[in-house]
Amino acid sequence: MTTAADIMHPGAQWIPAHETLDRAAQLMRTLNVGALPISDENERLCGILTDRDIVVGCVAMGHDPSKITCGEMAKGTPRWVEAGADVGEVLDEMQSHQIRRLPVIDNKRLVGMISEADLAKHLSEDQIATWVESVYATS
């Protein structure tokens, strides 16, 4: 059985909810990633921040990214999977919520992220085609 831990990109890093968007952008650049899980004061997942969120939700709206926190940008209920989850569960979670990045948690700690690139490396062409069709569906 292939698990989330088998296909994830290990070493994901939180951004605390109190950090500003400019700091998040700097961390994204340093880590060469386009998304960061947001943690509350107890290191629990409270959202995911993407580079697009910073551009569209802050900069394009005329706001100063040094004055807006990551927590203020966190919207909705964050989705995640346990490290031991079967790949089918990973795909179901991503497809049913139309998400492209999924944090992987083990013992209440962030251990990795699963992205489109991770799926492309580890899944069959049929699995990828089904995933793309459901996640990118516009209906």
Side-chain angles (χ1 to χ4, degrees):
M1 170 178 87
T2 303
T3 66
D6 295 328
I7 66 170
M8 73 179 187
H9 182 82
Q13 189 171 330
W14 299 110
I15 185 87
H18 67 269
E19 288 285 356
T20 58
L21 297 182
D22 62 336
R23 175 67 187 116
Q26 293 163 1
L27 185 57
M28 285 179 188
R29 181 189 63 216
T30 298
L31 298 173
N32 193 30
V33 298
L36 293 169
I38 304 169
S39 70
D40 65 15
E41 63 277 354
N42 298 314
E43 288 197 352
R44 297 187 94 154
L45 183 66
C46 65
I48 294 181
L49 179 70
T50 67
D51 47 8
R52 186 176 193 282
D53 293 333
I54 296 170
V55 172
V56 174
C58 179
V59 176
M61 300 296 288
H63 301 295
D64 182 349
S66 69
K67 305 239 187 292
I68 307 288
T69 67
C70 296
E72 290 175 279
M73 294 297 289
K75 296 179 181 89
T77 303
R79 309 308 305 182
W80 54 273
V81 292
E82 287 284 342
D86 178 78
V87 128
E89 293 174 60
V90 170
L91 293 174
D92 287 345
E93 187 70 20
M94 293 175 88
Q95 289 169 321
S96 64
H97 297 284
Q98 292 188 307
I99 55 178
R100 297 175 182 99
R101 298 171 180 104
L102 189 63
V104 180
I105 307 292
D106 189 28
N107 293 322
K108 299 182 181 180
R109 295 282 180 218
L110 177 69
V111 294
M113 290 281 282
I114 297 173
S115 69
E116 295 165 299
D118 299 313
L119 296 178
K121 288 180 199 170
H122 295 95
L123 301 180
S124 72
E125 286 183 25
D126 288 342
Q127 287 174 307
I128 299 223
T130 300
W131 181 84
V132 166
E133 185 177 312
S134 63
V135 170
Y136 286 97
T138 57
S139 56

